[in-house]
Amino acid sequence: MHPRTAAAALAALAPLAVATDGLSITSVFRPGDLVPDMPGFTMGGAGGTASINDAGSVLYTATITGDGITSSNDHVLIGGPLNGLSLIGREREPIPTLPGWIYLPGSSNLTGFYQLAVAPDGGVAYQPTIFETGVSSTWLFGTFAGPVATPSPIVWQTGPAPGFDPGYTVNATTKVAFADGGRAAVSGRASGPTTEYVVWASDPVNGTAVALSSNAQAPGFGAGVEPLVIREASLCLNAQGRLTTLAILEGPGITTSDRNVWFEGPLGGMSVLARQGDAVPFIPGATYSTFDENKMRMNAAGDLCFAAQVVGGGTSAVLMRRHAGVLAPVVKVGDPVPDVPGATFTNLYSGHFDMNSHGDVMFGATLTGQPAATDTAFFIADDAGIRMVLREGDPLPGGYTTPHILTTRFFFNDRQQFVTDLNVDGRAAFFATRPNGELLKLARASEIFFTDDGFAGVIGSVVPWRYDANSLAVGSGGPSMFSNEGQLILSMFFTGSTGSGVFIFDVDDPCPADLVEPFGLLDLADVNAFVTGFIGMTAVGDLDGNGLWDLTDVNIFVNSFIGGCP
């Protein structure tokens, strides 16, 4: 449909007006629910973190109760679609795909399952603590990935080191990244005659191979230049099988001012993405000075984004993005802040950021020249530019005020929704935006909590919830707790005998046509906002969040507007 044809068709909707409301909260499990694949046993409570994909498949830890269950064997890992959950692993039980080994947490207070990830196709990846019966003297780490029914080990401590001589074994597994089809990557170390930093890449067809290691030739450099250290937390993997990792080099011609390098590319084809001392594209006179291993993001489309400190060019830090094959700045220190006269961006290198599968980037920053009570904010950068989405001092639902948010974590999706955990009036609280930008309070410590399926409890005051703070956008290759469908999965803890459980907050917009203030009223302002977004091909006009502006979006808007909203 031509955008202007759509605009004409929507004009007839202007006289209508309908009220809106709604937030869906459902239980993944509650105490007393039956344990998948263990007849006669019931769920005890939430364990630790949880992950979710766009199809609603989940992966979470929990405790169980029943005959013979003690604090030494009560932790489990469960995953799959909500209507077909499966028991994947249980504390002290044999690991089917690694004979002779059992799952074994480091103590009764630990779940033993970490870095939980669910790929878009429903496959899972995780890092458990494990023990070789009759051999190990303590618990060890491994990395597993694959279908829910048969996740297989990729590498594990004391196991053979793929790509190395038989005298080498895996010494450590630090980070796992995961994509569709059982594809995975692991950063760690191999030990033998020497100890080497390693990035392994794996898939079910080709097995596991070395993508990069210390004491081996560095891609794109002259003979004798090798990685000295690989920054293990820097590993990223996308659905195309492309990797990123940050390394410190040594060898002929390498100095302390140019030895830090981001490598990127597929297995067997990695190359230099950015190097300390190199010129920063599109910022004349600026060179890269410092990289942070935790400040890299990738998506399934091949986009990537990273933060760097720089020297020269009138700036000190920059957020870079490679989008549609072009590496360019998203924003740099000293750039003017849109719609805040006289203010400029600073502290970009300190703020959190994330990128969705469209290449849109959300970031935190400080605004220069502003009062201390209003000088930090969240921003979204997309093809239309940069806009502020939440500022310190802004009013929050429930009568609260946005606190200092420079380093606050948030979780971002393809519809440009975000979820964030803020401390308001001395208590932790989760807030989220609908696709139209409306901000909602989801839950707050010490307050009463209800679900749509009949659960009620008072949220704990000290530990209200647990989640993986390293969660990223879905499809990023790591843990994800906020899906592109607007679903947040959260392990929650309650006072008294209510216990704990895992819950899903569905903040997918209950009224797609309610796009602008005043929220709760469908009127001409919403029609104009949709038409403008549709013609301009911005997120406001892409109601199904798939990156296309077509008849589907028009139908969603028209049906929502005419049908009214709850």
Side-chain angles (χ1 to χ4, degrees):
M1 175 178 288
H2 191 280
R4 300 204 178 277
T5 304
L10 291 167
L13 301 178
L16 303 176
V18 187
T20 68
D21 190 26
L23 169 68
S24 172
I25 307 173
T26 55
S27 307
V28 176
F29 85 84
R30 307 179 284 190
D33 287 352
L34 296 178
V35 179
D37 303 323
M38 291 186 66
F41 294 85
T42 57
M43 303 297 294
T49 63
S51 201
I52 189 169
N53 72 2
D54 288 346
S57 288
V58 299
L59 185 64
Y60 60 90
T61 60
T63 60
I64 60 173
T65 62
D67 290 342
I69 300 299
T70 70
S71 60
S72 297
N73 64 1
D74 63 342
H75 285 103
V76 294
L77 179 67
I78 295 173
L82 293 181
N83 61 357
L85 292 168
S86 298
L87 178 69
I88 296 174
R90 177 184 158 201
E91 181 180 6
R92 293 189 179 271
E93 287 294 299
I95 304 173
T97 53
L98 190 59
W101 291 75
I102 62 172
Y103 292 114
L104 184 67
S107 81
S108 61
N109 295 321
L110 301 175
T111 68
F113 301 99
Y114 308 98
Q115 296 194 48
L116 310 185
V118 188
D121 65 1
V124 297
Y126 55 97
Q127 273 206 327
T129 46
I130 58 178
F131 184 91
E132 188 173 13
T133 304
V135 177
S136 300
S137 59
T138 186
W139 53 268
L140 304 165
F141 274 104
T143 299
F144 288 68
V148 168
T150 56
S152 299
I154 299 172
V155 291
W156 61 98
Q157 283 181 289
T158 73
F164 285 80
D165 293 337
Y168 282 83
T169 59
V170 176
N171 173 270
T173 63
T174 305
K175 184 178 180 181
V176 58
F178 188 47
D180 277 354
R183 183 183 291 116
V186 183
S187 62
R189 274 163 271 173
S191 290
T194 61
T195 297
E196 308 297 345
Y197 291 87
V198 191
V199 171
W200 286 283
S202 176
D203 68 69
V205 175
N206 300 306
T208 303
V210 174
L212 190 71
S213 76
S214 57
N215 199 28
Q217 180 62 45
F221 286 85
V225 176
E226 303 169 344
L228 172 66
V229 174
I230 295 174
R231 297 296 190 185
E232 292 162 305
S234 66
L235 177 65
C236 294
L237 171 73
N238 72 4
Q240 300 176 5
R242 301 184 73 90
L243 304 151
T244 63
T245 193
L246 178 63
I248 300 174
L249 303 183
E250 64 175 353
I254 301 298
T255 71
T256 56
S257 61
D258 62 7
R259 64 180 184 171
N260 290 278
V261 178
W262 274 111
F263 290 100
E264 188 272 340
L267 178 66
M270 297 188 75
S271 60
V272 175
L273 170 68
R275 181 183 179 186
Q276 180 186 12
D278 280 357
V280 180
F282 302 101
I283 306 180
T287 58
Y288 295 118
S289 65
T290 307
F291 302 119
D292 186 322
E293 62 184 308
N294 296 298
K295 296 184 180 296
M296 171 65 76
R297 307 288 184 264
M298 298 184 78
N299 67 18
D303 300 327
L304 54 80
C305 183
F306 64 93
Q309 291 182 312
V310 304
V311 174
T315 187
S316 60
V318 63
L319 197 57
M320 300 293 295
R321 178 183 66 164
R322 189 181 69 189
H323 182 56
V326 177
L327 181 63
V330 174
V331 62
K332 66 182 186 297
V333 168
D335 282 349
V337 177
D339 302 319
V340 185
T344 60
F345 288 106
T346 190
N347 287 335
L348 290 172
Y349 199 68
S350 302
H352 180 56
F353 72 94
D354 201 2
M355 179 178 65
N356 65 21
S357 65
H358 300 318
D360 306 330
V361 177
M362 183 170 172
F363 64 93
T366 299
L367 290 65
T368 63
Q370 303 300 300
T374 61
D375 69 345
T376 59
F378 292 158
F379 299 84
I380 292 177
D382 57 20
D383 291 342
I386 296 175
R387 71 182 187 280
M388 187 187 299
V389 292
L390 184 66
R391 183 175 180 178
E392 181 180 358
D394 281 352
L396 294 168
Y400 308 110
T401 300
T402 304
H404 184 87
I405 54 175
L406 174 63
T407 58
T408 300
R409 307 288 294 192
F410 52 77
F411 310 99
F412 184 47
N413 72 9
D414 282 0
R415 298 183 181 184
Q416 297 192 349
Q417 294 174 267
F418 67 89
V419 173
T420 188
D421 183 3
L422 303 177
N423 188 299
V424 292
D425 287 2
R427 297 179 188 173
F430 257 102
F431 295 86
T433 56
R434 290 178 173 158
N436 63 8
E438 180 185 3
L439 197 63
L440 304 176
K441 187 187 78 172
L442 304 184
R444 183 168 179 255
S446 300
E447 292 187 352
I448 297 175
F449 175 80
F450 299 96
T451 69
D452 293 20
D453 51 6
F455 177 86
V458 176
I459 302 172
S461 59
V462 179
V463 182
W465 38 67
R466 288 183 185 145
Y467 58 88
D468 191 334
N470 293 314
S471 293
L472 301 172
V474 167
S476 63
S480 55
M481 56 183 283
F482 187 47
S483 79
N484 292 319
E485 299 301 315
Q487 292 185 316
L488 169 72
I489 188 168
L490 199 60
S491 298
M492 301 186 66
F493 300 83
F494 304 93
T495 61
S497 60
T498 309
S500 57
V502 175
F503 301 88
I504 291 177
F505 297 76
D506 191 345
V507 287
D508 189 15
D509 198 339
C511 189
D514 192 17
L515 296 173
V516 294
E517 294 181 342
F519 294 121
L521 180 69
L522 298 180
D523 58 12
L524 182 59
D526 298 301
V527 175
N528 289 338
F530 176 73
V531 171
T532 300
F534 190 89
I535 293 173
M537 293 188 291
T538 66
V540 173
D542 182 23
L543 295 186
D544 60 2
N546 66 354
L548 300 174
W549 290 261
D550 55 19
L551 186 59
T552 300
D553 300 302
V554 175
N555 286 337
I556 291 173
F557 183 86
V558 170
N559 290 336
S560 173
F561 198 99
I562 292 177
C565 299

